[in-house]
């Protein structure tokens, strides 16, 4: 696949990814299970970013298209593992929403996805593994450690919250897809610049997701259910004594009370502070993109996609 246009990429990638998953899981899961649990709907952001940066190098020749596709599928499958694990930790276990049998199923499905993602990656040609292996393993180390620290670490101030958000989300969602694509394209200079850019975009992306979780009237935010501090909830604690008291006591309460607390966190004053922080980060990232040593057509698609991702902030200017 060579398409840089996002919508065209999705049309090309989806059937390829489906065939990949059916092949990977055919001896373990039924087709129904694969379609229900593995082939989850998603924006395929990470494979697309790998696509862009692989084709972004000005100097290198591209002769690894088959490797590129395997890398993209492995990364998306790794994301499925992450989503299955997150759902267990954030929703199903805290709210006792699954039977023991179904809980066991989801745990095992996540384990199988992790295994298959790593099997797919380590089946790449040895020449590609030499380029990518360090980043692939480092990405998992930092992501899973970040997720653990978010739940069990000492999260008390904005610095520690930001550090966890970068490790558990920003690097995994932007920095490493950016970097791996450029590394496969054999452009280490571009890879380093993109990795730094990914930290900014990933942090803004995490803030946006946290804001959305509190603006969703149908679902209570997982961070509220678990009294978990992120940039949104931390800011609310600093400006609203009731929110601060609730997060300090962490008492179990009714869904009705949680919704009231969620409305306090989602107040216009609180969210505007956080949105302004995200806008500053995005604007800084835009300036970095302008100076990237990257093919003009790739730079144009990257700018356009960043605009699509963060349209909520831009429409309010």
């Amino acid at each position: 696949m060579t398409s840089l246009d996002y919508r065209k990429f999705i049309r090309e990638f989806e059937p390829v990814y489906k065939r990949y998953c059916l092949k990977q899981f055919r001896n373990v899961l039924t087709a129904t299970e694969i379609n229900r649990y593995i082939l989850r709907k998603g924006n395929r952001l990470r494979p697309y970013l790998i696509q862009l940066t692989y084709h972004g190098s000005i100097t290198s020749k591209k002769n690894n298209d088959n490797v590129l596709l395997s890398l993209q599928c492995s990364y998306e499958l790794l994301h499925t593992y992450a989503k299955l694990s997150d759902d267990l930790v954030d929703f199903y276990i805290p709210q006792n929403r699954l039977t023991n049998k179904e809980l066991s199923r989801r745990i095992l499905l996540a384990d199988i996805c992790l295994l298959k993602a790593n099997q797919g990656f380590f089946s790449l040609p040895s020449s590609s593994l030499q380029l990518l292996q360090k980043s692939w393993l480092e990405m998992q180390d930092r992501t899973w450690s970040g997720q653990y620290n978010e739940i069990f670490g000492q999260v008390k101030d904005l610095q520690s919250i930001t550090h966890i958000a970068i490790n558990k989300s920003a690097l995994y969602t932007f920095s490493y897809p950016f970097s791996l694509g450029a590394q496969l394209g054999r452009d280490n200079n571009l890879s380093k610049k993109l990795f730094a850019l990914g930290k900014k975009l990933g942090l803004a992306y995490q803030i946006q997701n946290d804001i959305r979780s509190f603006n969703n009237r149908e679902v209570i935010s997982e961070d509220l259910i678990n009294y978990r501090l992120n940039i949104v909830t931390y800011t609310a604690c600093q400006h609203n004594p009731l929110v601060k008291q609730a997060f300090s006591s962490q008492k179990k309460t009714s869904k009705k009370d949680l919704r009231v607390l969620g409305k306090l966190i989602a107040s216009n004053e609180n969210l505007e502070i956080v949105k302004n922080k995200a806008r500053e980060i995005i604007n800084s990232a835009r300036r970095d993109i302008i100076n990237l040593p990257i093919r003009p057509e790739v730079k144009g698609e990257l700018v356009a996609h960043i605009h699509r991702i963060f349209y909520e902030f831009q429409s309010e200017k």
Side-chain angles (χ1 to χ4, degrees):
M1 297 186 302
T2 60
S3 177
L4 301 179
D5 177 78
Y6 174 66
R7 292 177 179 83
K8 186 176 179 181
F9 167 79
I10 293 297
R11 290 195 299 269
E12 293 176 348
F13 181 73
E14 285 297 329
V16 174
Y17 182 59
K18 182 175 182 177
R19 290 195 297 271
Y20 176 86
C21 288
L22 289 171
K23 181 179 179 180
Q24 287 286 324
F25 292 94
R26 62 187 176 188
N27 295 325
V28 183
L29 306 176
T30 65
T32 300
E33 288 173 322
I34 294 171
N35 282 300
R36 179 180 178 183
Y37 297 106
I38 309 303
L39 293 171
R40 303 163 62 108
K41 291 182 179 180
N43 58 20
R44 311 305 186 212
L45 173 62
R46 295 153 192 84
Y48 178 63
L49 296 181
I50 293 173
Q51 177 96 347
L52 282 182
T53 57
Y54 170 71
H55 291 289
S57 173
I58 295 174
T59 58
S60 62
K61 295 180 180 179
K62 304 298 180 296
N63 55 4
N64 287 317
D65 287 353
N66 290 333
V67 176
L68 169 67
L69 187 56
S70 295
L71 174 61
Q72 290 169 307
C73 290
S74 296
Y75 209 111
E76 187 63 21
L77 194 51
L78 191 72
H79 181 54
T80 300
Y81 158 76
K83 290 295 294 180
L84 286 167
S85 298
D86 284 351
D87 287 348
L88 286 169
V89 172
D90 291 338
F91 293 111
Y92 296 127
I93 294 177
Q95 299 184 52
N96 296 317
R97 291 170 61 177
L98 297 176
T99 64
N100 287 339
K101 183 177 181 180
E102 188 61 26
L103 185 63
S104 299
R105 182 205 298 272
R106 307 243 177 175
I107 291 172
L108 290 171
L109 281 168
D111 289 344
I112 295 169
C113 285
L114 179 60
L115 171 66
K116 294 297 184 180
N118 280 306
Q119 281 182 338
F121 176 81
F122 284 102
S123 297
L124 297 179
S126 58
S127 58
S128 299
L129 283 177
Q130 290 177 0
L131 293 172
L132 307 176
Q133 180 175 323
K134 180 180 178 181
S135 292
W136 178 262
L137 294 174
E138 185 183 78
M139 173 265 294
Q140 293 186 65
D141 182 12
R142 297 185 71 168
T143 302
W144 314 148
S145 297
Q147 290 183 342
Y148 183 89
N149 288 330
E150 180 186 39
I151 300 171
F152 300 107
Q154 296 297 315
V155 185
K156 295 182 177 180
D157 54 35
L158 187 59
Q159 182 178 358
S160 61
I161 292 168
T162 302
H163 179 74
I164 287 174
I166 289 173
N167 276 300
K168 70 119 183 170
S169 182
L171 300 183
Y172 160 74
T173 304
F174 282 89
S175 290
Y176 282 107
F178 274 161
S179 181
L180 285 165
Q183 287 174 19
L184 186 60
R186 298 181 180 272
D187 193 331
N188 289 330
N189 179 49
L190 178 60
S191 173
K192 292 176 182 177
K193 292 180 181 296
L194 286 167
F195 191 89
L197 170 66
K199 286 185 180 181
K200 295 180 181 180
L201 292 173
L203 182 57
Y205 190 71
Q206 183 62 51
I207 292 173
Q208 179 170 261
N209 285 342
D210 292 339
I211 290 174
R212 284 176 176 173
S213 73
F214 282 99
N215 282 335
N216 189 335
R217 296 181 180 181
E218 297 180 1
V219 179
I220 300 174
S221 167
E222 66 271 18
D223 291 320
L224 184 53
I225 293 171
N226 298 287
Y227 289 108
R228 190 178 299 155
L229 286 174
N230 57 35
I231 294 175
V232 174
T233 56
Y234 176 84
T235 304
C237 287
Q238 300 304 301
H239 293 86
N240 191 309
L242 293 177
V243 177
K244 184 176 182 180
Q245 181 181 359
F247 271 75
S248 298
S249 64
Q250 298 195 7
K251 291 181 180 178
K252 290 186 177 180
T253 187
S254 65
K255 287 186 178 180
K256 180 179 178 180
D257 289 339
L258 283 176
R259 291 187 188 281
V260 172
L261 187 60
K263 288 181 180 179
L264 292 176
I265 295 172
S267 68
N268 290 334
E269 179 183 358
N270 177 55
L271 290 189
E272 196 58 33
I273 294 171
V274 183
K275 287 178 181 178
N276 285 334
K277 179 178 179 63
R279 290 185 186 111
E280 291 175 3
I281 297 170
I282 295 166
N283 288 334
S284 175
R286 280 203 191 100
R287 292 191 291 270
D288 292 344
I289 292 173
I290 291 172
N291 296 318
L292 280 177
I294 197 168
R295 292 182 185 275
E297 62 273 23
V298 173
K299 184 181 292 188
E301 289 297 334
L302 179 57
V303 169
H305 200 59
I306 297 307
H307 184 81
R308 285 190 291 266
I309 291 172
F310 298 112
Y311 72 92
E312 295 169 69
F313 294 141
Q314 294 156 359
S315 63
E316 298 172 4
K317 287 184 178 180

